[in-house]
Amino acid sequence: MAKKKDEEKKKHVAVVTKKSLQFLEEYINNPAPTGYEWEGQKLWLNYLKPYIDEHFIDNYGTAVGVINPKATFKVVIEAHADEISWYVNYITADGLIYVIRNGGSDHQIAPSKRVNIHTEKGMVKAVFGWPAIHTRHGEKEQAPELKNIFLDCGCTTKEEVEKLGIHVGCVITYEDEFMVLNDRYYVGRALDNRVGGFMIAEVARLLKENKKKLPFGLYIVNSVQEEIGLRGAEMIAQRIKPNVAIITDVTHDTTTPMINKNIQGDLSAGKGPVVSYAPAVQTNLNKLLIKTAEKNHIPFQRQASSRSTGTDTDAFAYSNGGVPSALISLPLRYMHTTVEMVHKEDVDNVISLIYESLLNITDGQDFREFK
């Protein structure tokens, strides 16, 4: 009998609805490169608006939905909206385009990828070219590098390229789109970390649908420019001046080939959200997350992050004289590729953990170790 009860507790209950999934697909497919997140932010806010009291947007495009805006005690739940991309850096006389990174774009996956070049005239299609295997016979293989990858948009002169509206500084995104793999994984580009924005919006939905009244102001924050150094989070933290911040981002699933667990830790998609240990992670807030997970039978994993988390957690934690901050990560395979992959149940469980944790935070709660 006891065994049967344990099995019932472990049975997963889906949180993401069909309507939610439709939004996630639309949101992932919409390009929102670092520094150019506006269209994605519009989609996100339109989805979020039924569940919040008000919203605002800062000068660089960070979008914030607010529940209970008059409250003096402020809690942030945050993700980042931007995706890695490329910039047009140099157009050759014969119409080829060389690029530089906008964020941590991976040069090794570029050859043969299809891309969209964003121009004032609209999207221009192009491909990352690469010499055929036949032409490389007998020579030492040259690996893709930033200095040798190039775009071909079907033009034969620089002037022809420019007539399409392409110029140095145009941003470039991959065109790969969202799919569900084996009814188990969400796959797509920019799951890092647009899936985070989706999850915090789902938390707002649950609060509204379950008619939960929070004793504090909740700021649902979708920050820009994380991929180039947490810049959007730095700016918005100064504006909101929160008392508590719970950040969600992705982390590495380390079970796939060529990843050293001795260095990266032992984390797996499908085994639950990841709580982090790092100087920026406030100890007692982290304990609240863990106790909440245990109480609600939400599976979770642990990760040590050394000097910094490398996420917006660091920006919030070290702002405004120190803000108690914690990180809930979503295990992800193949980060910074066009086939980033997360487990459906992990997405549900991150949403549930943030939601339940908010219900355990009290107005004016003091997270200090001693007074």
Side-chain angles (χ1 to χ4, degrees):
M1 190 71 171
K3 185 178 179 182
K4 188 176 180 181
K5 284 184 179 179
D6 287 340
E7 287 174 353
E8 287 175 358
K9 286 179 183 177
K10 292 176 183 177
K11 186 177 179 181
H12 180 78
V13 178
V15 175
V16 175
T17 66
K18 286 184 179 179
K19 182 180 177 182
S20 301
L21 187 58
Q22 288 174 353
F23 163 68
L24 176 61
E25 180 171 358
E26 182 183 12
Y27 186 45
I28 295 297
N29 288 347
N30 177 82
T34 300
Y36 307 85
E37 299 92 346
W38 296 98
E39 294 303 322
Q41 296 293 60
K42 290 176 187 176
L43 287 174
W44 183 79
L45 267 179
N46 285 339
Y47 181 76
L48 185 67
K49 281 177 182 177
Y51 314 125
I52 58 177
D53 297 320
E54 62 182 50
H55 71 276
F56 62 89
I57 300 153
D58 77 3
N59 289 330
Y60 277 84
T62 290
V64 182
V66 189
I67 297 172
N68 196 15
K70 294 183 180 179
T72 55
F73 194 77
K74 302 174 183 179
V75 176
V76 159
I77 56 175
E78 191 262 10
H80 73 84
D82 57 318
E83 66 177 290
I84 57 171
S85 53
W86 303 94
Y87 273 123
V88 172
N89 187 50
Y90 168 58
I91 305 170
T92 70
D94 51 0
L96 298 177
I97 299 168
Y98 286 84
V99 300
I100 58 171
R101 294 185 178 94
N102 184 20
S105 300
D106 188 348
H107 52 273
Q108 291 204 28
I109 71 160
S112 82
K113 284 290 184 185
R114 302 181 186 200
V115 301
N116 292 314
I117 304 175
H118 300 235
T119 80
E120 292 183 5
K121 295 181 178 180
M123 295 292 190
V124 177
K125 299 291 184 182
V127 297
F128 273 108
W130 195 246
I133 189 170
H134 316 72
T135 67
R136 307 196 307 267
H137 179 71
E139 297 182 11
K140 184 179 179 182
E141 286 283 350
Q142 190 172 1
E145 298 179 61
L146 189 59
K147 65 184 180 182
N148 65 16
I149 58 172
F150 61 92
L151 288 176
D152 188 333
C153 62
C155 296
T156 55
T157 67
K158 181 178 181 180
E159 291 72 24
E160 192 179 357
V161 172
E162 291 174 339
K163 282 181 181 178
L164 293 175
I166 299 170
H167 57 75
V168 170
C170 283
V171 71
I172 304 150
T173 54
Y174 293 117
E175 66 173 28
D176 301 66
E177 294 192 338
F178 179 86
M179 69 175 180
V180 179
L181 186 64
N182 194 29
D183 196 31
R184 183 176 296 153
Y185 293 100
Y186 301 135
V187 179
R189 45 160 254 288
L191 287 174
D192 174 16
N193 181 36
R194 217 161 295 150
V195 71
F198 168 73
M199 293 188 296
I200 58 175
E202 288 294 272
V203 171
R205 176 179 67 81
L206 292 181
L207 290 168
K208 184 75 170 183
E209 291 178 355
N210 295 331
K211 299 179 179 178
K212 297 295 183 182
K213 299 295 183 183
L214 298 173
F216 48 77
L218 181 65
Y219 292 70
I220 304 107
V221 179
N222 211 14
S223 292
V224 299
Q225 300 193 25
E226 186 273 350
E227 295 290 356
I228 57 162
L230 324 181
R231 301 308 185 193
E234 289 176 349
M235 290 184 277
I236 205 66
Q238 299 301 330
R239 177 167 175 174
I240 296 172
K241 295 181 168 40
N243 300 97
V244 179
I246 298 173
I247 313 306
T248 186
D249 206 329
V250 295
T251 191
H252 301 288
D253 175 328
T254 63
T255 62
T256 57
M258 297 185 286
I259 297 178
N260 187 339
K261 291 182 181 180
N262 292 347
I263 297 171
Q264 299 292 340
D266 188 6
L267 301 169
S268 177
K271 292 188 176 180
V274 177
V275 294
S276 283
Y277 294 82
V281 175
Q282 210 278 343
T283 305
N284 286 323
L285 180 57
N286 215 33
K287 287 178 181 177
L288 182 147
L289 300 182
I290 292 168
K291 288 178 182 177
T292 299
E294 291 171 343
K295 179 181 177 182
N296 292 279
H297 308 287
I298 300 170
F300 68 94
Q301 306 172 77
R302 303 176 198 258
Q303 178 178 37
S305 298
S306 190
R307 291 174 60 89
S308 67
T309 68
T311 71
D312 284 339
T313 311
D314 304 330
F316 276 93
Y318 301 130
S319 70
N320 301 290
V323 176
S325 301
L327 173 62
I328 301 174
S329 297
L330 178 69
L332 176 141
R333 292 182 170 189
Y334 320 125
M335 192 180 295
H336 286 203
T337 72
T338 59
V339 290
E340 294 181 332
M341 182 184 299
V342 297
H343 200 289
K344 291 168 61 176
E345 291 188 4
D346 289 341
V347 172
D348 288 334
N349 284 323
V350 170
I351 296 165
S352 296
L353 181 52
I354 297 173
Y355 171 81
E356 296 293 345
S357 296
L358 290 175
L359 300 181
N360 287 328
I361 296 175
T362 59
D363 183 21
Q365 187 163 346
D366 191 334
F367 288 94
R368 288 179 292 176
E369 285 287 347
F370 64 93
K371 302 173 182 65

